[in-house]
Amino acid sequence: MTTIVDYGAGNIRSVQNTLAELGADFTVTNDPSAVSRAPKIILPGVGHFGQMMQAIDRLRLRDVLLERIRAGVPFLGICIGLQCLFENSEESPGSLGLGLFSGSVRRFVGDARIPHMGWNSLEKTRPSRLLTGLGEGTFTYFAHSYYAPLNEATAATCTYLNSYSAVLEKDNVYDVQFHPEKSAGVGEQILKNFLSLK
């Protein structure tokens, strides 16, 4: 059973639809007690970093998410669901992320269009369970104005104005900056890979 965490602003419906198409067994909840029993967690994210963190705290989900991650439960963060694992974000100074990764999420700066929206390619930096079966230069769908820095957990990068973390993978934590639920067959393969994790 996979638990999709609904904090009120995530792209829940698209994720649900894709998991249903894959025949996955899943539930949707914002109940901390239900999340505390989840054997596998997906945290989708759309919108504003600060609003997301306020919602997570209001729903008393911060501690239980961290507890489940630290207990070794497979966790997939999508878009802001990736960004919230850092300490903070330029999008919302003063809002505290979950702090699993050090550093700050930054806003793109440059002459290109912001937000970065559309299809772009991934560059693998090391072997990745999440990207199993996918070749180099695989294209996925992005929609974001802020990006996560490169760090020791970076499994794939994307370049838009600068290089940033497109996939993070460390122990039981798997995160993607793009939207697998909007990335057609590639996204389905990524979600299949996550669902198959033990």
Side-chain angles (χ1 to χ4, degrees), residues 110-131:
D111 295 332
R113 182 184 67 180
I114 300 171
H116 170 210
M117 187 168 290
W119 297 84
N120 208 336
S121 61
L122 304 179
E123 299 173 33
K124 294 181 184 179
T125 58
R126 59 184 176 83
S128 164
R129 296 178 71 188
L130 205 58
L131 300 179

Side-chain angles (χ1 to χ4, degrees), residues 68-89:
R68 296 309 283 157
I69 290 170
R70 289 168 179 155
V73 169
F75 173 94
L76 175 64
I78 298 173
C79 196
I80 299 179
L82 172 151
Q83 295 179 9
C84 78
L85 297 186
F86 286 80
E87 295 172 310
N88 50 62
S89 172

Side-chain angles (χ1 to χ4, degrees), residues 11 45-47 79-80 83 107-108 111-121 139-147 158-161 164 177-179 182-183:
N11 192 24
V46 173
C79 196
I80 299 179
Q83 295 179 9
R107 180 174 170 81
F108 286 116
D111 295 332
R113 182 184 67 180
I114 300 171
H116 170 210
M117 187 168 290
W119 297 84
N120 208 336
S121 61
F139 278 77
T140 54
Y141 187 85
F142 292 84
H144 61 123
S145 299
Y146 295 81
Y147 64 92
C158 182
T159 300
Y160 190 78
L161 294 171
Y164 62 87
Q177 179 59 65
F178 52 87
H179 289 274
K182 295 182 179 181
S183 297

